[in-house]
Amino acid sequence: MDFDFTAESPKLMMLLYGVVAFAAVVGLLLLVLDVLPSRKDRWVALGLLFPAGALLTVGLIVPAVRTLILSFMNADSTKFVGFDNFVWMFTDKTSGMLPDFSSDPVSYGVLLSTVMWVLLVPSVSTAIGLVYAVLVDRARLESFAKSLIFMPMAISFVGAGIIWKFIYAYRQEGEDQIGLLNQVVVALGGTPQQWLLDGPWNTLFLIAVLVWIQAGFAMVILSAAIKAIPADIVEAARIDGVTPWQMFWRVTIPSIRPALVVVMVTISIGTLKVFDIVRTMTGGQFGTSVVANEMYNYSFRFDEKGKGAALAVLLFVLVAPIVIYQIRVMRRRRLEGSR
Amino acid sequence: MSTGTETIAAMPESEVPATPAGRVRKRLTSRTASAVSLVIALLWTVPTFGLLVSSLRPEDQIKSNGWWNFFSDPQLTLDNYQEVLFGTTASSGRLAGYFINSLVITIPSVLFPLAFASLAAYALAWTRFRGRDWVYIGIFALQIVPLQMALIPLLQFFTKGVAIDGFQLLPAWDLENEAKFVTVWFAHTCFALPLGIFLLHNFMAELPGELVEAAKVDGASHAKIFRSVVLPLIVPALASFAIFQFLWVWNDLLVALIFAGGPKNAPLTVRLAEMAGTRGNEWQRLTAGAFVSIVVPLIVFLSLQRYFVRGLLAGSVKG
């Protein structure tokens, strides 16, 4: 039990350097600002936007363009191969990308699995979040009740992966089960299952983990939207004598539609990039892999930069339309309300 | 465990609910409502609770029966934590070092984007120049570039520098050991900026314009306005972005896997993912290790939840 703290000191020095550098940078920028003529907004803006702009250019814009170029090149980026990497993605039967319905168990392939994630996680998380938000709305202990559902948001995907791996743990029939799910199954008279090994259902058990993490987010946003419904709408509906059920479907849901869209869109984008859960729980084996996981494998493990970059581009292409729609909505709002 | 959830949805009959949701709930028998919300609350808390209980049980107990047996046969021990944090055998977690790595990675990765984003957000909200809206929309649009789009070239940039036709434009970042943290900070800072600028700009744009105008009339420079007028007012926004970024960086696996390199610099998440892969049946280590990694974010989250929620509601989401 001899943990060597002295070995750790260089790291802490590094941390100190980092904090000092931070202070120096901020101080310098403010100093420069003081010196710049305040009459000329253009110069001030340039000075303020420069550090962020430079970092975004070097760290995000240039690399993204480069990835786009790499996706049209071969494995070690030495020559252009046209659309080969994209063709491979959608046609190669051996890569595991495509579904194979003749195999036993059925394998959905990476692309279809990803689609399953993106359809299920946002819809189920939003539904659970909405139901819970409605149920605890204005109840006693509301904020405590919300914290319980919200808490998994603070847990890393890796941590959540381990928590659920433990829930799904398998022991042979007749032995004491250590996983909660198999214990429940046994208690109900069933036989214990290898939840994470047996396709095609194992993907669903991974999807459950992300639902568990995201439902709290949906609940928080929708709860705020429900509280913001104008009282006079509710009053008018009540005077018209609608039943509570109609009230929910015809007043509540239409009133919070924008919030529902935001929640669904946000969770969809996050779900497309799911990587940590799959990697921690199954390593992408047993037919559970998704696009983001394969992107990592091809780029950083198999040294297939072209295919890795193509998979990254695929993610971008899937995310882009959703966000372009969002930007258009935002612009409209900004132009209406711009000073 | 939650004993409070039973009382949820039990409302006094006399009270007339003002929200449609309230009316729906009132019509549903409160018993059904309570049952449903209790089931959800249990499903959402039991997994984590089970992990905590397990991590405090002796190894032979964890491996031979379920954690729910703890209540009939309570045996508490801190051995798992001792082993996973400070153990010296190859199979132990040695998480103490990784814990420090997580801290060293996270603190600057929160501070830098906070500074750069608040300066840029100020420029976009309170200075006037041509093309301001386009710059803002461009930065917002960058939120959609998935991390995956930037990883391969960024790694090449760090390891090889920038060369065109054999001519080295920028040198490679030849960083060893502790200095490798710099690349992780750099990556996290770049990836955080679009969200940070967007979030802080939304807060700043809502500040009353008269305040800034008045200061300008008094002859204050932008630096002074930023320091003494705007900054104190956006503390809540800074807090919510800081919490976001903290949780994001502390919990991140992908960036750390690629840029942090070996055990010298890897954070907890990398080590845990490794243990889950190679020691899948060492539940006594996995449970304690997982808890070590989630305890800091949980504390931060529970104590600063208000700010976090406020940030979420400002329409900010990181992907």
Side-chain angles (χ1 to χ4, degrees):
Chain A
M1 292 306 156
D2 51 332
F3 179 68
D4 186 5
F5 268 104
T6 49
E8 306 294 329
S9 59
K11 295 179 188 170
L12 297 172
M13 276 311 289
M14 201 64 216
L15 176 60
L16 188 67
Y17 292 149
V19 175
V20 168
F22 158 81
V25 166
V26 175
L28 188 73
L29 274 168
L30 288 176
L31 197 72
V32 168
L33 268 189
D34 262 332
V35 175
L36 282 172
S38 255
R39 298 275 154 269
K40 289 265 194 294
D41 266 10
R42 203 177 320 148
W43 292 110
V44 176
L46 194 68
L48 286 172
L49 285 166
F50 178 75
L55 284 168
L56 285 171
T57 310
V58 175
L60 216 55
I61 300 171
V62 172
V65 172
R66 228 184 115 59
T67 297
L68 190 60
I69 297 168
L70 290 180
S71 68
F72 294 101
M73 298 176 92
N74 61 357
D76 54 3
S77 318
T78 46
K79 70 176 205 288
F80 280 93
V81 292
F83 281 90
D84 281 8
N85 293 320
F86 295 93
V87 172
W88 157 84
M89 208 184 293
F90 294 106
T91 57
D92 189 338
K93 289 240 185 318
T94 57
S95 62
M97 288 284 158
L98 301 171
D100 180 0
F101 296 111
S102 58
S103 71
D104 183 50
V106 172
S107 90
Y108 285 109
V110 173
L111 299 175
L112 203 56
S113 294
T114 307
V115 171
M116 262 164 57
W117 278 84
V118 173
L119 289 179
L120 284 171
V121 174
S123 51
V124 179
S125 317
T126 308
I128 292 175
L130 179 61
V131 167
Y132 197 79
V134 169
L135 290 178
V136 301
D137 188 48
R138 299 173 70 252
R140 271 176 295 175
L141 292 170
E142 180 185 353
S143 59
F144 172 73
K146 283 181 173 173
S147 295
L148 293 180
I149 308 297
F150 198 29
M151 201 176 54
M153 279 214 79
I155 296 174
S156 65
F157 286 8
V158 177
I162 290 175
I163 289 174
W164 283 85
K165 219 175 155 168
F166 196 45
I167 297 268
Y168 297 145
Y170 167 81
R171 286 283 190 272
Q172 282 179 348
E173 203 174 355
E175 288 183 28
D176 274 339
Q177 293 297 329
I178 64 166
L180 187 60
L181 187 57
N182 272 324
Q183 176 68 26
V184 171
V185 168
V186 169
L188 295 173
T191 49
Q193 303 290 319
Q194 305 238 34
W195 307 107
L196 295 175
L197 265 53
D198 301 334
W201 308 112
N202 48 7
T203 292
L204 293 181
F205 292 101
L206 295 184
I207 287 175
V209 181
L210 194 54
V211 168
W212 184 70
I213 292 173
Q214 297 287 16
F217 164 72
M219 189 261 316
V220 165
I221 306 273
L222 296 176
S223 175
I226 288 171
K227 289 187 193 307
I229 298 175
D232 48 0
I233 298 183
V234 180
E235 203 47 50
R238 193 176 302 157
I239 289 164
D240 290 344
V242 297
T243 64
W245 201 237
Q246 285 172 316
M247 182 80 99
F248 178 74
W249 287 108
R250 299 198 185 155
V251 178
T252 309
I253 297 282
S255 309
I256 63 169
R257 183 165 296 146
L260 280 169
V261 171
V262 166
V263 168
M264 293 282 272
V265 163
T266 305
I267 298 180
S268 308
I269 294 173
T271 304
L272 267 172
K273 301 181 217 166
V274 71
F275 159 77
D276 319 26
I277 292 177
V278 172
R279 194 173 182 277
T280 305
M281 291 180 78
T282 60
Q285 295 163 296
F286 325 118
T288 56
S289 198
V290 290
V291 172
N293 192 50
E294 290 304 299
M295 181 268 158
Y296 177 84
N297 285 344
Y298 280 97
S299 305
F300 302 104
R301 291 178 58 200
F302 309 157
D303 242 358
E304 285 262 13
K305 298 250 180 311
K307 285 172 181 167
L311 287 164
V313 172
L314 175 71
L315 279 181
F316 176 72
V317 167
L318 293 172
V319 172
I322 307 177
V323 182
I324 287 168
Y325 163 77
Q326 256 189 321
I327 292 172
R328 284 176 52 187
V329 173
M330 281 231 344
R331 266 203 73 193
R332 217 173 302 142
R333 246 192 265 156
R334 195 172 153 81
L335 293 177
E336 282 165 9
S338 69
R339 284 185 314 277
Chain B
M1 199 57 234
S2 70
T3 48
T5 42
E6 291 88 319
T7 54
I8 284 168
M11 255 176 42
E13 288 297 304
S14 57
E15 194 178 322
V16 179
T19 64
R23 301 221 355 152
V24 173
R25 201 187 60 244
K26 199 171 157 98
R27 188 50 77 85
L28 291 168
T29 58
S30 66
R31 197 170 295 176
T32 316
S34 299
V36 172
S37 46
L38 181 64
V39 165
I40 297 179
L42 279 174
L43 270 174
W44 258 251
T45 43
V46 164
T48 316
F49 177 71
L51 180 91
L52 174 63
V53 171
S54 291
S55 68
L56 294 167
R57 297 175 81 214
E59 178 180 344
D60 56 326
Q61 293 275 320
I62 297 182
K63 288 181 172 173
S64 62
N65 57 47
W67 57 266
W68 45 92
N69 294 310
F70 169 84
F71 300 101
S72 52
D73 174 25
Q75 296 185 35
L76 278 176
T77 171
L78 285 174
D79 286 357
N80 300 329
Y81 284 93
Q82 178 77 310
E83 174 65 22
V84 88
L85 281 167
F86 305 116
T88 44
T89 55
S91 61
S92 71
R94 294 186 189 158
L95 289 186
Y98 291 91
F99 191 91
I100 291 174
N101 292 346
S102 273
L103 278 177
V104 175
I105 286 174
T106 306
I107 293 169
S109 299
V110 171
L111 288 177
F112 282 111
L114 206 58
F116 296 137
S118 48
L119 293 170
Y122 176 85
L124 291 172
W126 294 111
T127 60
R128 289 192 183 75
F129 59 96
R130 259 215 319 242
R132 187 182 70 164
D133 280 7
W134 286 109
V135 174
Y136 173 73
I137 285 166
I139 290 177
F140 175 79
L142 281 176
Q143 285 188 83
I144 48 165
V145 177
L147 285 189
Q148 281 84 353
M149 277 288 277
L151 295 174
I152 309 174
L154 202 54
L155 186 65
Q156 288 175 337
F157 168 67
F158 290 145
T159 51
K160 297 181 190 153
V162 180
I164 295 179
D165 284 339
F167 177 71
Q168 201 74 11
L169 280 177
L170 286 169
W173 295 28
D174 212 2
L175 297 173
E176 285 300 311
N177 298 339
E178 287 75 36
K180 262 202 116 85
F181 285 122
V182 176
T183 57
V184 189
W185 297 342
F186 185 92
H188 273 306
T189 302
C190 297
F191 297 149
L193 285 173
L195 171 74
I197 294 172
F198 172 70
L199 181 63
L200 295 175
H201 168 273
N202 287 357
F203 270 85
M204 284 192 203
E206 282 170 15
L207 296 177
E210 304 83 64
L211 279 176
V212 178
E213 295 306 327
K216 268 190 189 165
V217 171
D218 290 346
S221 69
H222 273 297
K224 188 152 172 46
I225 296 173
F226 178 77
R227 266 199 313 264
S228 46
V229 179
V230 174
L231 215 48
L233 291 172
I234 60 159
V235 167
L238 291 174
S240 36
F241 177 55
I243 295 164
F244 257 95
Q245 185 61 4
F246 173 86
L247 291 176
W248 174 263
V249 176
W250 184 277
N251 289 337
D252 155 81
L253 174 68
L254 185 57
V255 174
L257 268 178
I258 292 165
F259 298 110
K264 269 199 160 65
N265 311 87
L268 282 167
T269 43
V270 170
R271 178 65 179 145
L272 264 184
E274 208 175 286
M275 284 162 70
T278 55
R279 313 199 168 276
N281 288 321
E282 301 282 296
W283 286 115
Q284 76 289 3
R285 295 204 179 102
L286 282 178
T287 51
F291 212 80
V292 165
S293 83
I294 65 178
V295 73
V296 175
L298 275 184
I299 291 169
V300 167
F301 177 82
L302 291 176
S303 51
L304 300 166
Q305 202 179 337
R306 242 170 352 119
Y307 294 109
F308 186 74
V309 170
R310 192 183 291 194
L312 278 182
L313 294 178
S316 68
V317 169
K318 177 151 188 170

